[in-house]
Structure formats: structure tokens, C-alpha cells
Amino acid sequence: MPDTLLEQHAAALRLFGERLRAVADDQWGAPTPCTEWSVRDLVNHVVAEQLWIPPLVAEGRTVEEVGDAFSGDVLGEDPVAAWDKASAAAHAAFAAPGALERTVRLSYGPALGMAYCSELTADCVVHTWDLSRGIGADDELPDGLVEFSIKEVMPYADGLAASGMYAEPLEVPAGANAQTRLLALLGRRG
């Protein structure tokens, strides 16, 4: 069980990478629980999120300075290679000395590097579930990453639907496990 934030981040990246490697050639156009996205769209989104990390965290650039550098297709002909390169650079940026204590200027305002890392770790965990569902793979997430993600998402779960990026939270059935609770917070039915 990973203990530190950086270990949680690395575990989430590994998990997504494992699921990505399971995508068959004929599954890139398959739908995902993210109703606007195919499997390729979802993977493109997660890879693009990783690409943002080095310029924002390591270089101290702003969202405006980065601009549309990561808009459009960032996967190219080899989505797995794009993921491997982007996720390694993202983790290295967060793991650099002082990176988690550094202020990062995000689209919604300044945040500590550790808050940004936590947010993207939870996002990666949930998108691993989305990807798993899209390709028909095992969608059970590791308990530790689920618990981490619940703690990350809980403080702002009510406002996520208002952002337009998430569905309304769902009612959680009595006795639901942690994964079901996490997914319900984000408008997903497990």
C-alpha cells in the first residue's frame, strides 16, 4: 500500500498504464462512461493532463503561457508510447525537490503542487475505471487508491457537476463499498 503522495501518484499512473496496454486495436472508438468521449478521447485527455504538469510545476509557467500546446490529438500513432513519455515526465516533475510545496498557477487559481498532484492522482484513478469500462476490462480499483481518491474528492464533490465536467452525484446505496461511493460522488454508477 503506497504511503506517500508521490507513491500514490506513481501507483495511479501504473494502474492507468496497465489498462491502456490492454486496449485492443478495435477498441479505440468504443464508448466510455464519459459520454462525450471514446476510449481514444479519454486516453488523449489523460495524456494531455500529464503533459501540462512539467510546464506548470517544473517551469512555473501559467496556463495562459502554455496556451493550446496540448490541444487536439496528443497521442499520435502510438498512444502507449505517448502515455509512457508523458506520465514519466509528469511524475518526475512532481518528484523534483520542492515541487510539492511550490505554488502552481492553474486555471482556477493558485494551488500547492501537492494539491495539484492529489487532484490528478484521483483523476487518474477514476479515469482508469472509465477506461476499464470502455474496453470491458476488470474495473475493480485498488482499495488504497479508492480511499485516497475519496478523501481528495469529498471536499469539492458538490461543485463538480456545476463545472460541467461531471454528472450530478448519485445516491449511494446503503452498505456500498468504497469504490461505489467514489464513483457515485462523480456521477458514475459502478
Side-chain angles (χ1 to χ4, degrees), residues 110-132:
L112 284 178
M114 69 181 64
Y116 185 38
C117 185
S118 294
E119 175 187 327
L120 290 183
T121 299
D123 192 71
C124 192
V125 169
V126 173
H127 284 320
T128 298
W129 182 84
D130 294 329
L131 179 57
S132 299

Side-chain angles (χ1 to χ4, degrees), residues 67-167:
D68 63 359
F70 307 122
S71 296
D73 178 24
V74 297
L75 300 180
E77 296 297 315
D78 190 346
V80 172
W83 167 256
D84 288 344
K85 184 177 179 182
S87 63
H91 189 72
F94 279 134
L100 296 180
E101 291 77 33
R102 189 172 299 135
T103 298
V104 182
R105 294 170 291 174
L106 303 172
S107 60
Y108 54 79
L112 284 178
M114 69 181 64
Y116 185 38
C117 185
S118 294
E119 175 187 327
L120 290 183
T121 299
D123 192 71
C124 192
V125 169
V126 173
H127 284 320
T128 298
W129 182 84
D130 294 329
L131 179 57
S132 299
R133 280 290 175 104
I135 65 171
D138 178 10
D139 65 5
E140 188 169 334
L141 301 167
D143 292 341
L145 287 173
V146 169
E147 291 294 340
F148 173 90
S149 299
I150 288 173
K151 288 177 187 165
E152 169 59 25
V153 171
M154 281 295 291
Y156 53 85
D158 290 341
L160 290 175
S163 74
M165 295 170 46
Y166 294 89

Side-chain angles (χ1 to χ4, degrees), residues 25-84:
D25 289 342
D26 64 347
Q27 291 179 313
W28 291 101
T32 69
C34 302
T35 57
E36 305 290 317
W37 289 341
S38 67
V39 165
R40 185 174 176 92
D41 296 332
L42 173 73
V43 171
N44 191 72
H45 164 75
V46 178
V47 170
E49 284 187 322
Q50 307 315 306
L51 292 172
W52 277 94
I53 296 168
L56 296 178
V57 174
E59 300 168 21
R61 294 169 66 192
T62 65
V63 170
E64 294 76 24
E65 289 170 341
V66 176
D68 63 359
F70 307 122
S71 296
D73 178 24
V74 297
L75 300 180
E77 296 297 315
D78 190 346
V80 172
W83 167 256
D84 288 344

Side-chain angles (χ1 to χ4, degrees), residues 155-180:
Y156 53 85
D158 290 341
L160 290 175
S163 74
M165 295 170 46
Y166 294 89
E168 289 290 332
L170 303 174
E171 189 171 323
V172 180
N177 66 19
Q179 180 169 315
T180 301

